[in-house]
Amino acid sequence: MARLNGWSPRDILAHLIGWNHHIIEGSRQIQLGELPFYDIDPGENYSKVNEALVRRFRSTDRQVLIQELHSSARDLQKYLESLEPEAWAKDFGVRHGGSRVTIRDTVEELIEDYNHHRRQIQQWQSLALESPVRQE
């Protein structure tokens, strides 16, 4: 499938798989009072981080990527469920761009990212339905 706004469906899956893992590691860093590694030099709109994820999770097999997405989401869920309730919104003193960084904030950003990419996928579906299938 073609790219839409610079993203292919494979890129989106690789991106989300990676961010599920990153949120676990970043949340651990937040609890230590450290800025998550992905915020140190992310590039514009996290372009450097996202490019690395697309290279890291490079499979072109849709089933493999979907399995990795489910697995990484389960890992993130287990990690978040293991947190002490007060850690969720606690201010560990981490700041980025003048804003407080909490575990809750990072998870909410990931949720918004999932919603953004869901809308992209819906856009692809709409375009696919509008475009006639070519017989070669």
Side-chain angles (χ1 to χ4, degrees):
M1 187 171 278
R3 291 181 176 273
L4 184 63
N5 299 321
W7 292 85
S8 72
R10 193 208 74 75
D11 294 345
I12 289 174
L13 287 171
H15 164 82
L16 294 173
I17 292 164
W19 276 102
N20 287 340
H21 293 293
H22 282 0
I23 295 302
I24 293 170
E25 186 175 345
S27 294
R28 290 180 176 137
Q29 290 176 299
I30 290 168
Q31 291 179 84
L32 295 172
E34 300 171 359
L35 183 64
F37 71 95
Y38 47 77
D39 283 330
I40 294 171
D41 184 20
E44 186 176 336
N45 196 24
Y46 291 88
S47 61
K48 291 179 183 179
V49 177
N50 293 330
E51 286 171 14
L53 292 174
V54 170
R55 285 191 308 272
R56 179 176 169 198
F57 299 99
R58 67 180 79 177
S59 177
T60 56
D61 185 313
R62 182 179 1 181
Q63 283 309 111
V64 168
L65 288 167
I66 290 171
Q67 287 171 352
E68 285 187 60
L69 180 64
H70 287 292
S71 175
S72 66
R74 277 191 305 274
D75 291 346
L76 177 57
Q77 180 180 0
K78 286 178 190 174
Y79 172 76
L80 294 173
E81 289 173 347
S82 76
L83 291 173
E84 294 296 324
E86 60 274 3
W88 182 247
K90 183 176 178 177
D91 184 351
F92 289 96
V94 180
R95 300 291 182 270
H96 185 247
S99 298
R100 178 183 68 157
V101 178
T102 67
I103 295 170
R104 179 184 64 205
D105 295 335
T106 61
V107 172
E108 286 175 354
E109 288 173 5
L110 181 62
I111 291 168
E112 179 49 40
D113 208 29
Y114 267 85
N115 288 331
H116 167 75
H117 291 302
R118 177 186 46 80
R119 289 187 295 271
Q120 280 185 307
I121 292 166
Q122 289 170 333
Q123 220 178 339
W124 270 309
Q125 288 175 324
S126 294
L127 291 173
L129 292 173
E130 292 171 7
S131 299
V133 177
R134 292 184 184 173
Q135 299 280 331
E136 305 263 338

